Amino acid sequence: MIYERMTIPSPMKGIIESTAEDIRSMKVRGAGRLARAGASALVEYATDYSGNDLGKMLSDIASAERTILDSRPTAVSLWNAVRITLRDVRDAGSVDAVRESVIRNGNAFIESSLKSVKTISEIGAKRVADGDTLLTHCNSSTAIGVIAEAIRQGKDVKVYATESRPWRQGLLSVRDLTDAGADVTLIIDSAVRTVMKKVDRVFVGADTVTASGDLINKVGTSQVALCANEARTEFNVCAETYKFSPRTIAGEPVIIEERDPAEVVKPGEIPETVKVFNPVFDVTPAKYISNIITEAGVISPGSVYGLMVSQLGDVSQIIDN
Ligand code: RUB
């Protein structure tokens, strides 16, 4: 929703640089939306590509790929979207064949991504009972999709939404949830433990899920999970399988993005000697996760590796790259 609202590429810049800039500046945010924005930028780039030298086109596409991937480091959804969109370019033997493969694969990714979000909302809504009190953190279109679908089915639910400092994505969530007809209460992040005893189920999204089933999502998610664990509240992760990270099978650690201190304090608000640490994601260990709701069904964190391998087929290619 936000992505669709916010991507108006600057006519001054090419589609690749303007999309990367929109992702860096958070005009396009949320792991699913930025994955679709990356795929869509590559499709537009390939569509408009005017050269006729295959070698030059492949090197231009490689540099477009780098620019998109460098825009934000944490969400593997972007890496998976780019990998899927460009998967046939090396085998395509002509400029037209490269163009056609990027358009075909990129559009197929976007379509299946949107379909996955819808399927997850239908599967996840079945886990919501009439009369439930729910809690969500940050602004995940996938988690909100689940809650909206439960309401659409006539379930009466109350929802706590966290503010999600410093970007306050919770303000987007309360609007989305209000539009869906929810009874919504906004809380500051540090009030999560205070309300958790009243909460039946938590639904959050994912930027990345590792091979061992750990979740990387908006900073504060792990505290929500700890509070849920203490209160014996179900903690559900809503994640399309393109948020599963093949790179973690190959042993790569997930990079946790740190952003500008100016997002936390305004200049002059604190002494200049004070350092500001602004990590924007954190890691929730698999042991605190009750369910991962995917388009392939509800799974346990321990099943992530198996599902990833069954989808990828030959894992050695990922490990060798
Ligand atoms: C957004 C965030 C979201 C996930 C999933 O962080 O952590 O929970 O990206 O979102 P940011 P979705 O605002 O920094 O991008 O379910 O929409 O893909």
Side-chain angles (χ1 to χ4, degrees):
M1 286 173 284
I2 310 298
Y3 159 56
E4 281 77 14
R5 271 184 227 149
M6 287 182 166
T7 40
I8 303 163
S10 154
M12 306 300 289
K13 289 183 181 162
I15 183 64
I16 296 298
E17 190 40 58
S18 70
T19 301
E21 178 51 32
D22 283 351
I23 294 173
R24 269 193 297 275
S25 66
M26 310 258 295
K27 266 192 194 162
V28 176
R29 49 144 302 279
R33 290 186 185 101
L34 59 90
R36 290 190 290 276
S40 160
L42 289 167
V43 166
E44 192 170 327
Y45 184 71
T47 305
D48 294 345
Y49 194 82
S50 55
N52 50 21
D53 177 332
L54 177 61
K56 170 89 171 74
M57 184 185 201
L58 291 178
S59 109
D60 287 344
I61 285 183
S63 102
E65 174 182 14
R66 203 58 278 143
T67 303
I68 293 289
L69 289 179
D70 286 347
S71 58
R72 270 190 102 182
T74 303
V76 78
S77 54
L78 184 60
W79 185 85
N80 275 326
V82 167
R83 180 178 60 88
I84 291 166
T85 302
L86 301 182
R87 70 175 151 209
D88 294 328
V89 295
R90 279 194 211 152
D91 297 330
S94 68
V95 165
D96 284 343
V98 170
R99 179 182 295 113
E100 197 261 322
S101 77
V102 174
I103 295 170
R104 183 186 61 245
N105 290 332
N107 285 335
F109 171 79
I110 293 166
E111 197 182 320
S112 86
S113 159
L114 292 168
K115 194 164 161 232
S116 295
V117 174
K118 187 166 183 302
T119 305
I120 290 170
S121 69
E122 284 155 8
I123 295 173
K126 293 189 191 148
R127 297 210 59 85
V128 177
D130 191 27
D132 266 355
T133 297
L134 310 174
L135 185 142
T136 192
H137 181 56
C138 191
N139 178 253
S140 158
S141 51
T142 322
I144 287 174
V146 166
I147 300 170
E149 175 59 19
I151 294 166
R152 201 195 61 75
Q153 291 175 1
K155 292 173 185 167
D156 180 20
V157 295
K158 293 190 169 52
V159 188
Y160 286 107
T162 56
E163 180 189 15
S164 308
R165 278 272 292 154
W167 268 78
R168 307 180 83 203
Q169 290 93 333
L171 302 192
L172 297 173
S173 292
V174 296
R175 270 184 228 132
D176 290 343
L177 288 162
T178 303
D179 288 349
D183 170 346
V184 196
T185 305
L186 179 70
I187 55 169
I188 58 169
D189 302 335
S190 37
V192 166
R193 189 163 181 256
T194 303
V195 303
M196 191 55 85
K197 283 203 180 74
K198 295 185 212 150
V199 175
D200 298 293
R201 265 165 266 278
V202 174
F203 289 95
V204 295
D207 278 78
T208 292
V209 179
T210 71
S212 51
D214 295 341
L215 165 69
I216 291 85
N217 192 50
K218 179 53 55 193
V219 68
T221 302
S222 66
Q223 293 181 128
V224 175
L226 272 177
C227 294
N229 186 262
E230 180 195 42
R232 301 196 192 287
T233 299
E234 188 180 283
F235 184 88
N236 297 292
V237 177
C238 307
E240 309 90 300
T241 53
Y242 61 84
K243 293 173 181 168
F244 290 4
S245 173
R247 304 172 71 174
T248 60
I249 296 182
E252 276 189 48
V254 179
I255 297 168
I256 303 291
E257 180 183 8
E258 288 173 34
R259 293 182 65 92
D260 194 333
E263 294 180 351
V264 179
V265 281
K266 296 191 193 79
E269 266 186 332
I270 54 171
E272 273 174 22
T273 50
V274 175
K275 297 183 274 300
V276 175
F277 176 46
N278 183 22
V280 296
F281 298 101
D282 69 16
V283 183
T284 301
K287 66 178 176 184
Y288 296 120
I289 297 169
S290 315
N291 300 298
I292 302 181
I293 306 169
T294 78
E295 74 279 10
V298 180
I299 63 168
S300 68
S303 304
V304 170
Y305 174 81
L307 182 52
M308 230 188 314
V309 170
S310 75
Q311 287 187 335
L312 288 167
D314 187 4
V315 177
S316 63
Q317 277 187 354
I318 300 279
I319 293 174
D320 292 345
N321 277 330

